[in-house]
Amino acid sequence: KLLAKGASCARQDMWRDAAGYWRQAADLKNERISAKAAYNMALVCEIEDKLELAHNWIAMSDSIRSTQFSILYQQILQDRLNHRTMLDKQMGLQE
């Protein structure tokens, strides 16, 4: 029910509300639900441009239940983090 409520909020562009439901679902004992909720939390964090946190969530999802999607998404987020770090260095925002 938590996954469905979160999805309903996401469809209405209410991402923070969706995250609240998915955060709760990520703590459930059911591995399939918990992994899916953690995956969805990674999406919310990416939408909010919190790439490090998104990477943490997808790593959690992958550690609970690894899928081809979680593996691919984890690599995509890592590539985005690496690219952002490179850009920050080029702009002088990071030493």
Side-chain angles (χ1 to χ4, degrees), residues 46 55 71-81:
E46 185 181 16
H55 192 270
I71 293 168
L72 177 61
Y73 191 33
Q74 194 168 10
Q75 184 58 52
I76 289 168
L77 287 173
Q78 186 60 55
D79 290 345
R80 288 196 62 208
L81 281 166

Side-chain angles (χ1 to χ4, degrees), residues 15 19 22-23 38-58 73 77 80:
W15 291 99
W22 292 333
R23 195 173 296 114
Y39 187 101
N40 292 349
M41 284 300 300
L43 292 171
V44 172
C45 293
E46 185 181 16
I47 287 167
E48 293 183 353
D49 199 34
K50 298 177 181 175
L51 296 181
E52 293 88 1
L53 190 55
H55 192 270
N56 292 343
W57 276 109
I58 197 60
Y73 191 33
L77 287 173
R80 288 196 62 208

Side-chain angles (χ1 to χ4, degrees), residues 26-46:
D27 291 333
L28 297 177
K29 294 189 186 297
N30 182 311
E31 289 184 356
R32 184 185 62 78
I33 291 171
S34 182
K36 190 168 189 173
Y39 187 101
N40 292 349
M41 284 300 300
L43 292 171
V44 172
C45 293
E46 185 181 16

Side-chain angles (χ1 to χ4, degrees), residues 2-3 11 16 18 23 34 37 77 83 88 94:
L2 293 170
L3 285 177
R11 279 190 293 276
R16 289 190 186 258
R23 195 173 296 114
S34 182
L77 287 173
H83 188 241
D88 286 350
Q94 186 181 59

